Amino acid sequence: MIRVATVPYAHPYLDAVLPTEVVRVGPPPPDGDPWAPSPWLDPAYLAAHADEVDVVHLHFGFDGLTPDEMLAWTETVRRSRVALVVTVHDLRNPHHSTRERHDRHLAALLGAAEVVLTLTEGAADEIAERFQRSCIVVAHPGLVTPLRDVGREPRLVGVHLKSLRTNLLDPLDVVRAAASGAVSGGGRLRVDVHDDVDLEARVPGLVAGAERGEYELAVHGRYDDDQLTAYLQSIAVSVLPHRFGTHSGWLEACRDVGTRVVAPTCGHYADQWSDVVTYGNDEVRGLDTASLTGAVLVAVTRPWPPRADPAWRAEQRAQLRRVHAHVYSRVAADRTSS
């Protein structure tokens, strides 16, 4: 049995792709918090426990390390003779205002990794160009099971602003452009935002627009898994309001329940699903609001996409686990023989 320490220890994505025949090495995070710092990212912990693990597979959760600390960690990985596998989920960290820190993290990690994986062909091409590393492309698995007895409102467009994280476009620009497209297509816009946001301070004018009837505004706490699934099933179109990014689990959840996605041209969202409708936006040229309005109009007037076939998703998950099992077996054997 191959012993694998994943960073983070547990997450729906990791649970979906981790082969059943490997041993997941702990410790689990306190209180089950997937975002708690992993002890495996502590060089002293890694050096002390290196003989308890064959592979460290890093996905995300390393934001707390400085670039210099990441370099020191990768040096400890090399000395420990533990095989390092990295899956690049983000080429542009959605929580960082600039890209320099994450770029330096990736340079250190990809220089030390035995094997690099990523989620789309576009991301693999970018990694090859920027970091001179070849990648194994592994599709994002489905993570959501549609709920029974949850209906969908035809031509209801959703923009979820969450807690206004760093990679969010100007909320009013997005909302106004999306509302214009929704209304032009005979629909309406619902805007959701978490209740930990001071809207008057952060987005002056958002509440006033709702009071004028331009869109519906829903302020609430964070959804649990079933609440999120019900929300995504209830809308016809979900707009990703991202200023920058790479891949999206939210997009895959929409695919699972048959909700069309409108996504920006930055990142590699369109590579995840051929039914995505894109609008113009990147960090150089900024948001093309007319393009967003047009994308929402197209998305809301097309027939709904079908839900992802459960049998296909099950086979996809089985294939992803086979790929991961092969990678772990290969790198563990290479380390043993070297």
Coordinates of all heavy atoms in Angstrom, one line a residue, residues 223-281:
Y223 N -24.1 29.1 2.2 CA -24.9 27.9 2.0 C -24.1 26.7 2.4 O -22.9 26.6 2.2 CB -25.2 27.8 0.5 CG -26.2 28.7 0.0 CD1 -26.1 29.2 -1.4 CD2 -27.3 29.2 0.7 CE1 -27.1 30.1 -1.9 CE2 -28.3 30.0 0.2 CZ -28.1 30.5 -1.1 OH -29.1 31.3 -1.6
D224 N -24.9 25.7 2.9 CA -24.3 24.4 3.1 C -24.4 23.7 1.7 O -24.9 24.3 0.7 CB -25.0 23.6 4.2 CG -26.5 23.3 3.9 OD1 -26.9 23.3 2.8 OD2 -27.2 23.1 4.9
D225 N -24.0 22.4 1.6 CA -23.9 21.8 0.3 C -25.3 21.7 -0.4 O -25.4 21.9 -1.6 CB -23.3 20.4 0.4 CG -21.8 20.4 0.8 OD1 -21.2 21.5 0.6 OD2 -21.3 19.4 1.2
D226 N -26.3 21.2 0.4 CA -27.6 21.1 -0.2 C -28.2 22.4 -0.6 O -28.9 22.5 -1.6 CB -28.5 20.3 0.8 CG -28.3 18.8 0.8 OD1 -27.6 18.3 -0.1 OD2 -28.8 18.2 1.7
Q227 N -28.0 23.4 0.2 CA -28.5 24.8 -0.1 C -27.9 25.3 -1.4 O -28.6 25.9 -2.2 CB -28.3 25.7 1.1 CG -29.1 25.5 2.3 CD -28.7 26.3 3.5 OE1 -27.5 26.6 3.7 NE2 -29.7 26.7 4.3
L228 N -26.6 25.1 -1.6 CA -25.9 25.5 -2.8 C -26.4 24.8 -4.0 O -26.7 25.4 -5.0 CB -24.4 25.3 -2.7 CG -23.6 25.7 -3.9 CD1 -23.8 27.2 -4.3 CD2 -22.1 25.4 -3.7
T229 N -26.6 23.5 -3.9 CA -27.2 22.7 -5.0 C -28.6 23.2 -5.3 O -28.9 23.4 -6.5 CB -27.2 21.2 -4.6 OG1 -25.9 20.8 -4.3 CG2 -27.7 20.4 -5.8
A230 N -29.4 23.4 -4.3 CA -30.7 23.9 -4.6 C -30.7 25.3 -5.3 O -31.5 25.5 -6.2 CB -31.5 24.0 -3.3
Y231 N -29.8 26.2 -4.9 CA -29.7 27.5 -5.5 C -29.3 27.3 -7.0 O -29.9 27.9 -7.8 CB -28.6 28.3 -4.8 CG -28.1 29.5 -5.5 CD1 -28.9 30.6 -5.7 CD2 -26.9 29.4 -6.1 CE1 -28.4 31.7 -6.5 CE2 -26.4 30.5 -6.9 CZ -27.2 31.6 -7.1 OH -26.7 32.7 -7.8
L232 N -28.3 26.5 -7.2 CA -27.8 26.3 -8.6 C -28.9 25.7 -9.5 O -29.0 26.0 -10.7 CB -26.6 25.5 -8.7 CG -25.3 26.2 -8.0 CD1 -24.1 25.2 -8.0 CD2 -25.0 27.5 -8.7
Q233 N -29.7 24.8 -8.9 CA -30.8 24.2 -9.7 C -31.9 25.2 -10.0 O -32.7 25.0 -10.9 CB -31.3 23.0 -9.0 CG -30.5 21.7 -9.1 CD -31.1 20.5 -8.4 OE1 -30.5 19.8 -7.7 NE2 -32.4 20.3 -8.7
S234 N -32.1 26.2 -9.1 CA -33.2 27.1 -9.3 C -33.0 28.2 -10.3 O -34.0 28.8 -10.7 CB -33.5 27.7 -7.9 OG -32.5 28.7 -7.6
I235 N -31.7 28.4 -10.7 CA -31.5 29.4 -11.7 C -31.2 28.8 -13.1 O -30.8 27.6 -13.1 CB -30.3 30.3 -11.3 CG1 -29.0 29.5 -11.1 CG2 -30.7 31.1 -10.0 CD1 -27.8 30.4 -10.7
A236 N -31.3 29.5 -14.1 CA -31.1 29.0 -15.5 C -29.6 29.3 -15.9 O -29.1 28.5 -16.7 CB -32.0 29.6 -16.5
V237 N -29.1 30.4 -15.4 CA -27.7 30.8 -15.8 C -27.0 31.3 -14.6 O -27.6 32.1 -13.8 CB -27.8 31.9 -16.9 CG1 -26.4 32.5 -17.2 CG2 -28.5 31.5 -18.1
S238 N -25.7 30.9 -14.5 CA -24.9 31.5 -13.4 C -23.7 32.2 -14.0 O -23.0 31.7 -14.9 CB -24.3 30.3 -12.5 OG -23.5 30.8 -11.5
V239 N -23.6 33.5 -13.7 CA -22.5 34.3 -14.2 C -21.3 34.3 -13.2 O -21.5 34.6 -12.0 CB -23.0 35.8 -14.3 CG1 -21.8 36.7 -14.8 CG2 -24.1 35.9 -15.3
L240 N -20.2 33.9 -13.7 CA -18.9 34.0 -12.8 C -18.4 35.4 -13.0 O -17.9 35.7 -14.0 CB -17.9 32.9 -13.3 CG -18.4 31.5 -13.4 CD1 -17.2 30.6 -13.7 CD2 -19.0 31.0 -12.1
P241 N -18.4 36.2 -11.9 CA -17.9 37.6 -11.9 C -16.5 37.7 -11.6 O -16.1 38.6 -10.8 CB -18.8 38.2 -10.9 CG -19.0 37.2 -9.8 CD -19.0 35.8 -10.6
H242 N -15.6 36.9 -12.2 CA -14.2 36.9 -11.8 C -13.3 37.8 -12.6 O -13.3 37.8 -13.9 CB -13.7 35.5 -12.0 CG -14.4 34.4 -11.2 ND1 -14.3 33.1 -11.5 CD2 -15.3 34.5 -10.2 CE1 -15.0 32.4 -10.6 NE2 -15.7 33.3 -9.9
R243 N -12.6 38.6 -11.9 CA -11.6 39.5 -12.5 C -10.4 38.7 -13.1 O -9.8 39.1 -14.1 CB -11.2 40.6 -11.5 CG -10.3 41.7 -12.1 CD -10.3 42.9 -11.2 NE -9.9 42.6 -9.8 CZ -8.7 42.7 -9.3 NH1 -7.7 43.1 -10.0 NH2 -8.5 42.4 -8.0
F244 N -10.0 37.7 -12.4 CA -9.0 36.8 -12.8 C -9.2 35.4 -12.1 O -10.0 35.3 -11.2 CB -7.6 37.3 -12.4 CG -7.4 37.7 -11.0 CD1 -7.2 36.8 -10.0 CD2 -7.5 39.1 -10.7 CE1 -7.1 37.2 -8.7 CE2 -7.4 39.5 -9.4 CZ -7.2 38.6 -8.3
G245 N -8.6 34.4 -12.6 CA -8.8 33.0 -12.1 C -8.2 32.0 -13.1 O -7.6 32.4 -14.1
T246 N -8.5 30.7 -12.8 CA -8.0 29.7 -13.7 C -9.1 28.6 -13.9 O -9.5 28.4 -15.1 CB -6.8 29.0 -13.0 OG1 -5.8 30.0 -12.6 CG2 -6.1 28.0 -14.0
H247 N -9.5 27.9 -12.9 CA -10.5 26.9 -13.0 C -11.6 27.1 -12.0 O -11.4 27.9 -11.1 CB -9.9 25.5 -12.8 CG -8.8 25.1 -13.8 ND1 -7.5 24.9 -13.4 CD2 -8.9 25.0 -15.1 CE1 -6.8 24.6 -14.5 NE2 -7.6 24.7 -15.5
S248 N -12.7 26.4 -12.1 CA -13.8 26.6 -11.2 C -14.6 25.3 -10.8 O -15.1 24.7 -11.7 CB -14.8 27.6 -11.9 OG -16.0 27.7 -11.1
G249 N -14.6 25.0 -9.5 CA -15.5 24.0 -9.1 C -17.0 24.3 -9.1 O -17.8 23.5 -9.3
W250 N -17.2 25.6 -9.0 CA -18.6 26.1 -9.1 C -19.2 25.8 -10.5 O -20.3 25.4 -10.6 CB -18.6 27.7 -8.9 CG -19.9 28.4 -8.9 CD1 -20.6 28.8 -9.9 CD2 -20.6 28.9 -7.7 NE1 -21.8 29.4 -9.6 CE2 -21.8 29.5 -8.2 CE3 -20.4 28.8 -6.3 CZ2 -22.7 30.1 -7.3 CZ3 -21.3 29.4 -5.5 CH2 -22.4 30.0 -6.0
L251 N -18.3 26.0 -11.5 CA -18.7 25.7 -12.9 C -19.1 24.2 -13.0 O -20.1 23.9 -13.6 CB -17.6 26.1 -13.8 CG -17.7 25.9 -15.3 CD1 -16.8 26.9 -16.0 CD2 -17.5 24.5 -15.8
E252 N -18.3 23.4 -12.4 CA -18.6 21.9 -12.5 C -19.9 21.6 -11.8 O -20.6 20.7 -12.2 CB -17.4 21.1 -11.9 CG -16.1 21.3 -12.7 CD -16.2 20.6 -14.1 OE1 -17.1 19.8 -14.3 OE2 -15.3 20.9 -14.9
A253 N -20.2 22.3 -10.7 CA -21.4 22.0 -10.0 C -22.6 22.4 -10.9 O -23.6 21.7 -10.9 CB -21.5 22.8 -8.7
C254 N -22.5 23.6 -11.6 CA -23.5 24.0 -12.5 C -23.7 22.9 -13.6 O -24.8 22.6 -14.0 CB -23.2 25.3 -13.1 SG -23.3 26.7 -12.0
R255 N -22.6 22.4 -14.1 CA -22.7 21.3 -15.1 C -23.4 20.1 -14.6 O -24.2 19.5 -15.3 CB -21.2 21.0 -15.5 CG -21.1 20.0 -16.7 CD -19.6 19.8 -17.0 NE -19.4 19.0 -18.2 CZ -18.2 18.7 -18.7 NH1 -17.2 19.2 -18.1 NH2 -18.1 18.0 -19.8
D256 N -23.2 19.8 -13.3 CA -23.9 18.6 -12.8 C -25.4 18.8 -12.7 O -26.1 17.8 -12.9 CB -23.3 18.3 -11.3 CG -21.9 17.7 -11.3 OD1 -21.6 17.0 -12.3 OD2 -21.2 18.0 -10.4
V257 N -25.8 20.0 -12.4 CA -27.3 20.2 -12.3 C -27.9 20.8 -13.5 O -29.1 21.0 -13.6 CB -27.6 21.1 -11.1 CG1 -27.0 20.5 -9.8 CG2 -27.1 22.5 -11.3
G258 N -27.2 21.0 -14.6 CA -27.8 21.5 -15.9 C -28.0 23.0 -15.9 O -29.0 23.4 -16.5
T259 N -27.2 23.8 -15.2 CA -27.3 25.2 -15.3 C -26.2 25.8 -16.1 O -25.0 25.5 -15.9 CB -27.2 25.8 -13.8 OG1 -28.3 25.4 -13.1 CG2 -27.2 27.3 -13.8
R260 N -26.6 26.6 -17.1 CA -25.6 27.2 -18.0 C -24.7 28.2 -17.3 O -25.1 28.9 -16.4 CB -26.2 27.9 -19.2 CG -25.2 28.5 -20.1 CD -25.8 28.8 -21.5 NE -25.8 27.6 -22.3 CZ -26.9 26.9 -22.7 NH1 -28.1 27.4 -22.3 NH2 -26.8 25.8 -23.4
V261 N -23.4 28.3 -17.7 CA -22.4 29.2 -17.1 C -22.0 30.2 -18.1 O -21.7 29.9 -19.2 CB -21.2 28.4 -16.6 CG1 -20.1 29.3 -16.1 CG2 -21.6 27.4 -15.4
V262 N -21.9 31.5 -17.6 CA -21.3 32.6 -18.3 C -20.0 32.9 -17.6 O -20.1 33.2 -16.4 CB -22.3 33.8 -18.4 CG1 -21.5 35.0 -19.0 CG2 -23.5 33.5 -19.2
A263 N -18.9 32.8 -18.3 CA -17.6 32.9 -17.6 C -16.7 33.9 -18.4 O -16.9 34.0 -19.6 CB -16.9 31.5 -17.5
P264 N -15.8 34.5 -17.7 CA -14.9 35.4 -18.4 C -13.8 34.7 -19.2 O -13.6 33.5 -19.1 CB -14.2 36.2 -17.2 CG -14.2 35.2 -16.1 CD -15.5 34.4 -16.2
T265 N -13.3 35.4 -20.2 CA -12.2 34.9 -21.1 C -10.9 34.7 -20.4 O -10.0 34.0 -20.9 CB -12.1 35.7 -22.3 OG1 -11.9 37.1 -21.9 CG2 -13.3 35.6 -23.2
C266 N -10.7 35.3 -19.2 CA -9.5 35.0 -18.5 C -9.5 33.6 -18.0 O -10.5 32.9 -17.9 CB -9.3 36.0 -17.3 SG -10.6 35.8 -16.0
G267 N -8.3 33.0 -17.6 CA -8.3 31.7 -17.1 C -8.6 30.6 -18.2 O -8.5 30.9 -19.4
H268 N -9.1 29.5 -17.7 CA -9.3 28.4 -18.6 C -10.7 27.7 -18.3 O -10.9 26.5 -18.5 CB -8.2 27.3 -18.5 CG -6.9 27.9 -18.8 ND1 -6.5 28.1 -20.1 CD2 -5.9 28.3 -18.0 CE1 -5.2 28.7 -20.0 NE2 -4.9 28.8 -18.8
Y269 N -11.7 28.6 -18.0 CA -13.0 28.1 -17.7 C -13.7 27.5 -18.9 O -14.3 26.4 -18.8 CB -13.9 29.3 -17.2 CG -13.3 30.1 -16.0 CD1 -12.9 31.4 -16.2 CD2 -13.2 29.4 -14.8 CE1 -12.4 32.1 -15.1 CE2 -12.7 30.1 -13.7 CZ -12.2 31.4 -13.9 OH -11.7 32.1 -12.8
A270 N -13.5 28.1 -20.1 CA -14.2 27.5 -21.3 C -13.6 26.1 -21.6 O -14.3 25.3 -22.3 CB -14.1 28.5 -22.4
D271 N -12.4 25.8 -21.2 CA -11.8 24.5 -21.5 C -12.5 23.4 -20.6 O -12.4 22.2 -20.9 CB -10.3 24.5 -21.2 CG -9.5 25.3 -22.2 OD1 -10.1 25.6 -23.3 OD2 -8.3 25.5 -22.0
Q272 N -13.1 23.8 -19.5 CA -13.7 22.8 -18.7 C -15.0 22.2 -19.2 O -15.3 21.1 -19.0 CB -14.0 23.4 -17.3 CG -12.8 23.7 -16.4 CD -13.2 24.2 -15.0 OE1 -12.8 25.3 -14.7 NE2 -13.9 23.4 -14.2
W273 N -15.8 23.0 -20.0 CA -17.1 22.6 -20.4 C -17.4 23.3 -21.7 O -17.4 24.6 -21.8 CB -18.1 22.9 -19.4 CG -19.5 22.4 -19.6 CD1 -19.9 21.4 -20.5 CD2 -20.7 22.9 -19.0 NE1 -21.3 21.3 -20.4 CE2 -21.8 22.2 -19.5 CE3 -21.0 23.9 -18.0 CZ2 -23.1 22.4 -19.1 CZ3 -22.3 24.1 -17.7 CH2 -23.3 23.4 -18.2
S274 N -17.7 22.6 -22.8 CA -18.0 23.2 -24.1 C -19.2 24.1 -24.1 O -19.4 24.9 -25.0 CB -18.1 22.1 -25.1 OG -19.2 21.2 -24.9
D275 N -20.1 23.9 -23.1 CA -21.4 24.7 -23.1 C -21.2 26.1 -22.4 O -22.2 26.8 -22.3 CB -22.5 23.9 -22.4 CG -23.8 23.9 -23.2 OD1 -24.1 25.0 -23.6 OD2 -24.4 22.9 -23.3
V276 N -20.0 26.4 -21.9 CA -19.8 27.7 -21.3 C -19.9 28.8 -22.3 O -19.4 28.7 -23.5 CB -18.4 27.8 -20.6 CG1 -18.0 29.2 -20.2 CG2 -18.4 26.8 -19.4
V277 N -20.6 29.9 -22.0 CA -20.7 31.1 -22.8 C -19.7 32.1 -22.2 O -19.8 32.4 -21.0 CB -22.1 31.7 -22.9 CG1 -22.1 33.0 -23.7 CG2 -23.1 30.6 -23.4
T278 N -18.8 32.7 -23.0 CA -17.8 33.6 -22.5 C -18.1 35.0 -22.7 O -18.8 35.4 -23.7 CB -16.4 33.2 -23.0 OG1 -16.4 33.3 -24.4 CG2 -16.0 31.8 -22.6
Y279 N -17.5 35.9 -21.9 CA -17.6 37.3 -22.1 C -16.1 37.9 -21.9 O -15.3 37.2 -21.3 CB -18.5 38.0 -21.1 CG -18.2 37.9 -19.6 CD1 -17.4 38.9 -19.0 CD2 -18.6 36.9 -18.9 CE1 -17.1 38.9 -17.7 CE2 -18.3 36.8 -17.5 CZ -17.5 37.8 -16.9 OH -17.2 37.7 -15.6
G280 N -15.9 39.0 -22.5 CA -14.5 39.6 -22.5 C -14.1 40.1 -21.2 O -14.8 41.0 -20.7
N281 N -13.0 39.6 -20.7 CA -12.4 40.2 -19.5 C -11.1 39.5 -19.3 O -10.9 38.3 -19.3 CB -13.3 39.9 -18.2 CG -12.5 40.3 -17.0 OD1 -12.3 41.5 -16.7 ND2 -12.1 39.3 -16.2

